[in-house]
Amino acid sequence: MAFRACRDLLTLAWEVGLPRVTALVHAPNARSHALMRRLDMHDDGHADPEPYAGEVVAVTRYVILNPAVVG
């Protein structure tokens, strides 16, 4: 269900002409990291650490570029 929802959001983003979409994922959230990779998003570095489940953790930034803008 999450994959389909995110894919639909990316489709909408491309339809309205956004050049890229960025997502932030907390380091311990393995399922979200897997989802980003499945959506063909790429690791784009790190954002500032944030609280997550009672502790401060690293945050990975993922990005995907609009294929109509890139290609």
Side-chain angles (χ1 to χ4, degrees), residues 3 10 34-42 63-65:
F3 176 78
L10 288 174
L35 175 61
M36 297 303 110
R37 290 188 297 272
R38 188 169 172 214
L39 291 165
D40 292 327
M41 296 186 82
H42 302 281
V63 66
I64 188 168
L65 302 176

Side-chain angles (χ1 to χ4, degrees), residues 29-68:
N29 195 336
R31 291 180 68 158
S32 288
H33 288 283
L35 175 61
M36 297 303 110
R37 290 188 297 272
R38 188 169 172 214
L39 291 165
D40 292 327
M41 296 186 82
H42 302 281
D43 185 327
D44 190 43
H46 296 278
D48 292 335
E50 293 184 352
Y52 178 86
E55 62 181 290
V56 176
V57 299
V59 176
T60 302
R61 183 175 48 247
Y62 287 90
V63 66
I64 188 168
L65 302 176
N66 183 334

